[in-house]
Amino acid sequence: MKLYHSPQAPNPERVTNFLKAKGKLGEVEIEEISIMKQEHKAPMYREVSPFAQVPALVLDDGTKLTESRAICTYFEGVFPEPNLMGSDPKEKALIEMWDRRVELMLFLQFATWFRNAHPVMAPLENPQSPESAAKGEKNAKMFAKKIDERLASTDWVAADRFSIADITLYCACGFAGVMKWKPAEEFENIGKWMPRAKEKIG
């Protein structure tokens, strides 16, 4: 199988960090696709990913998967240990709930801010919208505060152990630096959580 990845982009990093946490990154062939050079829009890549999304995973039988969460679900099945998505129905539901919250209320809100405010994104987000950027920034920071409050009473985002929800938060917090925002410095409990997550990812 082959994983198409884009350096430093948060969704592709979500998948590679998931593989790192499982100790399986070296078992997957990786090909880099530059979003900034718009290689994801090239006709050859669109045969892999019709909506020009990165990451994408091509299985040995030719099946093509996009969406970082779906790709992680596949890898959870192929590489079941350590478990990162829940070991029973309750834990699976809690982890998915918090992973979705981080993805939709922080990850996506930050992406809206970044795409509509950072000059490097102007060729890809045309026209940029200052109103959308401001709303995305406000929402991302509001949810980061809620996550910080949660981490005051628990070591991990979703369950009583490290999970994909922590990986999603880790990617979002790391990528936030492109807008000169550092949640791990702004929020005490996220700051304490960050090195724990980094150690688990490896």
Side-chain angles (χ1 to χ4, degrees), residues 10 35 43 62 84 87 98 122 137 140 143 152 175 201:
I35 293 174
L84 298 175
S87 58
W98 278 103
E137 178 182 4
F143 190 70
F175 192 63
I201 292 167

Side-chain angles (χ1 to χ4, degrees), residues 96-139:
E96 183 171 353
M97 178 180 76
W98 278 103
D99 193 37
R100 291 282 288 168
R101 286 174 173 174
V102 175
E103 182 176 40
L104 297 176
M105 299 181 198
L106 177 59
F107 207 122
L108 184 60
Q109 299 303 317
F110 178 80
T112 300
W113 172 21
F114 169 64
R115 292 184 68 90
N116 285 283
H118 200 291
V120 76
M121 293 302 294
L124 297 175
E125 193 73 32
N126 186 19
Q128 289 180 309
S129 167
E131 294 80 9
S132 295
K135 186 175 181 180
E137 178 182 4
K138 178 183 176 182
N139 290 341

Side-chain angles (χ1 to χ4, degrees), residues 71-95:
I71 293 170
C72 289
T73 297
Y74 177 79
F75 284 137
E76 178 82 347
V78 174
F79 307 123
E81 297 298 333
N83 179 285
L84 298 175
M85 289 187 167
S87 58
D88 59 48
K90 178 181 175 180
E91 193 179 50
K92 287 178 180 178
L94 285 169
I95 289 172

